Amino acid sequence: MNKTLIALLAGVAIGILVAPDKGSATRNKLIDGFNDVADELEAFRDRFSTDEKEWMDEAVDLPSGMGSRV
């Protein structure tokens, strides 16, 4: 995740330095880049939230499963 974020920010910075556009075009590119980062973070958060729910479900089921084996 960190490498992706760093690569994205580096790409945006290099793009601005190498091929400068009008101010409005540059602002739009930056906004698009930040929106991409926000989307990636939201997807990561959603994936973690789903995993957390699964872990909690397994943790709740664990004691009952252990008792039936004894």
Side-chain angles (χ1 to χ4, degrees):
M1 174 68 185
N2 285 337
K3 291 180 181 181
T4 303
L5 179 61
I6 291 170
L8 178 65
L9 294 176
V12 170
I14 290 171
I16 290 171
L17 294 174
V18 173
D21 289 330
K22 294 182 349 182
S24 60
T26 301
R27 282 192 296 276
N28 288 335
K29 286 181 182 180
L30 286 172
I31 290 169
D32 289 343
F34 286 125
N35 286 337
D36 290 344
V37 170
D39 291 343
E40 285 187 36
L41 290 174
E42 185 175 353
F44 177 77
R45 185 194 66 199
D46 291 344
R47 185 178 56 162
F48 178 75
S49 177
T50 301
D51 290 345
E52 181 183 22
K53 289 175 188 174
E54 290 174 6
W55 295 335
M56 292 302 290
D57 290 343
E58 288 178 15
V60 169
D61 291 340
L62 187 62
S64 62
M66 290 175 65
S68 64
R69 294 180 193 166
V70 175

